Amino acid sequence: MPYRRLAEVSNLQTLTLLKLSLNREEIDYRVHFEHSLYVGSYLLGQRGAVLEVASQDYPAAAAVLTELGIEARRAAPPSDFGRLQEWEAITESLPLIGHWTPTPRLLALALLLATLVAISIYYLTLYG
């Protein structure tokens, strides 16, 4: 069953309120990074728990959020870089650049790759 991102919550009490409200309405949901709320935002880089709902329940879940005064995450435009969260999860353990935000990490690794390719081409033409 496909899920859609509903909201990102940085407060444990708000997350509990959302979960109770969604349970009351019998809406299927899942939560990612819930335990990160126990750590504190200073270690997370201002990230919080991600709440997702089943695709068919999204309109009802968005209505629940509206009743609570919380804004649901709007659907991302098709031009957005959709795999940024996966990129972040893969590269956050890298030394030196792992604590950077994902975009500078991507640029740094792209520059490193371009440099390695350029050096390889140079040595292949020089000694090949």
Side-chain angles (χ1 to χ4, degrees), residues 75-108:
S79 62
D80 276 5
F81 185 50
R83 303 249 183 229
L84 190 59
Q85 188 174 4
E86 292 175 23
W87 170 259
E88 183 176 8
I90 291 170
T91 60
E92 68 185 357
S93 62
L94 292 174
L96 299 177
I97 65 170
H99 65 279
W100 296 356
T101 58
T103 305
R105 262 187 260 162
L106 175 65
L107 293 173

Side-chain angles (χ1 to χ4, degrees), residues 10-65:
S10 59
N11 183 315
L12 190 58
Q13 290 79 11
T14 304
L15 178 63
T16 304
L17 178 65
L18 286 174
K19 287 168 56 176
L20 289 171
S21 298
L22 292 173
N23 282 334
R24 182 188 70 224
E25 299 295 325
E26 297 179 355
I27 296 173
D28 290 332
Y29 66 89
R30 64 184 180 188
V31 181
H32 299 283
F33 315 118
E34 179 175 1
H35 296 290
S36 65
L37 296 180
Y38 297 104
V39 176
S41 61
Y42 63 93
L43 293 176
L44 298 173
Q46 305 303 325
R47 289 188 313 196
V50 176
L51 186 67
E52 294 180 341
V53 295
S55 293
Q56 69 269 14
D57 294 333
Y58 185 83
V64 168
L65 260 66

